Amino acid sequence: MIPVIDLHCDTLSKLSSSPASFRLPPEAAVSHVFLSGLRASGALLQCFAVFTDLYGLEEETPLSHVQKQISCFHTLLAEAPDALAPVLTYSDILTNKKQGRISALLSLEESCLSEDSLSLLPVLYSKGVRMATLTWNYPNLLGSPAACLTPPSGKTPSCPSFLSGIKPLHDGLTPLGFDFMEEAERLGILIDVSHLSDTGFYNVAAHSKKPFLASHSNARSICDVPRNLSDDMLRVLAEHGGVAGLNLCEHFLVRNSSSPEEILDALVRHAKHIVSVAGIDTIALGTDFDGIPANTAIPDVTRLPLLEHALRAAGFSSGELEKLFYWNALRLFQECL
């Protein structure tokens, strides 16, 4: 079985109120990612995103919401110390593997958590955060997203000033966004361009001093949605030593299809296209488990071997599959952590 590094899941947001559910058996699991499933799939490293919807919070502030999910992350680690261990540096991945433990890396999905998000970065780094998307699907003080959701009727953002003075969609990073990126790179937090506008992507590419990644984005030439990467963006990502993680969200794979066979075929077509445009060293895996409706073909982490089989049947060699499933992401972490 090929080891697996998954660059993105939203399991913490699903389990933040019931972290013990992570250890339920497969038949009782309430999330796409769970401990026994990670073991069964050959997981080497799972990236756990801390997700914040600025319009979706009730009594919580964005920062308290993030703190709750980070607490959940550390609870998962504490309750399964022989099976799961944190990643703070690249050497942790190697140590955890030798000890037979799955590595767990903490990331942010939406980095505008207060009016002074920049000053929070060292605090979040000390809590274990090692990767960050600058936006989710709403503009914020850092930049503009690839596609903007319509705020729920009657809803206001958790902190209205987050959206004050924001320029129209498709603008790139704000001055604060550039400062945030620079400080994140200085600390050792990878910049994740999934969810950024095209202009924001090119802003990061022009100003980054380290490789960056699109943790869960597919190929726009295969499925034309803003969240996917254009061919030029894929080439730029490759030039910077970054990776693009295949996303299992069916809306980003193919239009109007629900059969498992068609979904697997679409995943293969995206993988082939990314490799043909950007090279085999640029592709990785970023499932988006627990942030999307269950994928028809791969509904949870235990079914990831089906993707391996489909890619192998489509002509991917064992060496190419190793690069896709873990080696490319591992190389990125070696360079940046």
Side-chain angles (χ1 to χ4, degrees):
M1 182 183 296
I2 296 177
V4 175
I5 293 180
D6 178 13
L7 293 171
H8 188 88
C9 77
D10 288 292
T11 306
L12 293 178
S13 60
K14 184 166 285 190
L15 299 184
S16 60
S17 298
S18 57
S21 301
F22 186 65
R23 292 178 285 112
L24 290 173
E27 62 274 12
V30 299
S31 53
H32 299 157
V33 174
F34 48 95
L35 185 56
S36 63
L38 287 173
R39 286 169 166 159
S41 69
L44 173 63
L45 187 156
Q46 179 65 56
C47 295
F48 289 90
V50 175
F51 166 68
T52 304
D53 179 346
L54 295 179
Y55 281 90
L57 303 179
E58 298 296 337
E59 303 299 324
E60 298 174 295
T61 65
L63 184 56
S64 66
H65 184 68
V66 162
Q67 290 170 331
K68 181 178 179 180
Q69 290 181 71
I70 291 177
S71 176
C72 175
F73 176 77
H74 289 291
T75 298
L76 300 187
L77 298 174
E79 292 185 350
D82 296 330
L84 200 65
V87 170
L88 302 178
T89 67
Y90 173 71
S91 63
D92 290 334
I93 303 172
L94 305 182
T95 299
N96 295 339
K97 184 177 184 297
K98 288 179 182 177
Q99 296 175 345
R101 300 191 292 178
I102 299 166
S103 289
L105 186 144
L106 195 59
S107 68
L108 286 181
E109 187 171 30
E110 170 62 71
S111 291
C112 191
L113 304 178
S114 79
E115 293 181 10
D116 194 11
S117 294
L118 194 61
S119 67
L120 284 176
L121 268 174
V123 177
L124 293 167
Y125 182 84
S126 72
K127 298 291 186 182
V129 170
R130 293 297 183 270
M131 187 189 306
T133 62
L134 302 185
T135 70
W136 184 55
N137 289 336
Y138 300 114
N140 63 25
L141 294 179
L142 304 179
S144 293
C148 190
L149 293 181
T150 302
S153 178
K155 275 281 193 178
T156 58
S158 307
C159 180
S161 63
F162 282 11
L163 304 186
S164 63
I166 294 299
K167 296 180 180 179
L169 191 63
H170 301 308
D171 277 11
L173 301 188
T174 65
L176 180 61
F178 284 109
D179 291 342
F180 185 96
M181 181 183 73
E182 182 178 331
E183 175 66 3
E185 288 192 333
R186 186 192 69 80
L187 287 169
I189 297 175
L190 282 85
I191 297 299
D192 183 354
V193 296
S194 285
H195 286 287
L196 266 183
S197 67
D198 288 8
T199 302
F201 172 95
Y202 287 110
N203 288 158
V204 170
H207 291 83
S208 63
K209 296 179 175 62
K210 295 182 179 180
F212 59 94
L213 76 158
S215 66
H216 54 305
S217 296
N218 295 328
R220 196 177 295 175
S221 288
I222 302 299
C223 187
D224 188 11
V225 295
R227 274 280 286 104
N228 288 340
L229 301 175
S230 70
D231 287 358
D232 185 67
M233 293 163 81
L234 287 168
R235 284 187 285 267
V236 169
L237 189 64
E239 291 167 2
H240 285 75
V243 298
L246 282 176
N247 189 328
L248 299 186
C249 179
E250 294 183 12
H251 180 64
F252 302 157
L253 289 170
V254 64
R255 298 291 194 180
N256 303 320
S257 174
S258 59
S259 79
E261 294 78 15
E262 289 175 312
I263 294 302
L264 278 174
D265 177 68
L267 276 162
V268 169
R269 286 188 286 116
H270 280 272
K272 282 187 169 182
H273 186 81
I274 291 171
V275 170
S276 70
V277 170
I280 188 61
D281 294 329
T282 306
I283 192 168
L285 183 68
T287 62
D288 210 0
F289 277 141
D290 291 309
I292 58 173
N295 181 284
T296 305
I298 306 174
D300 63 44
V301 68
T302 65
R303 305 297 182 89
L304 281 175
L306 293 176
L307 177 58
E308 177 191 336
H309 298 328
L311 291 167
R312 195 180 294 277
F316 280 76
S317 69
S318 293
E320 289 172 330
L321 290 173
E322 288 178 351
K323 287 193 171 189
L324 189 158
F325 277 97
Y326 79 97
W327 184 254
N328 290 337
L330 193 63
R331 182 263 306 162
L332 182 69
F333 293 139
Q334 184 177 20
E335 292 183 23
C336 297
L337 296 182

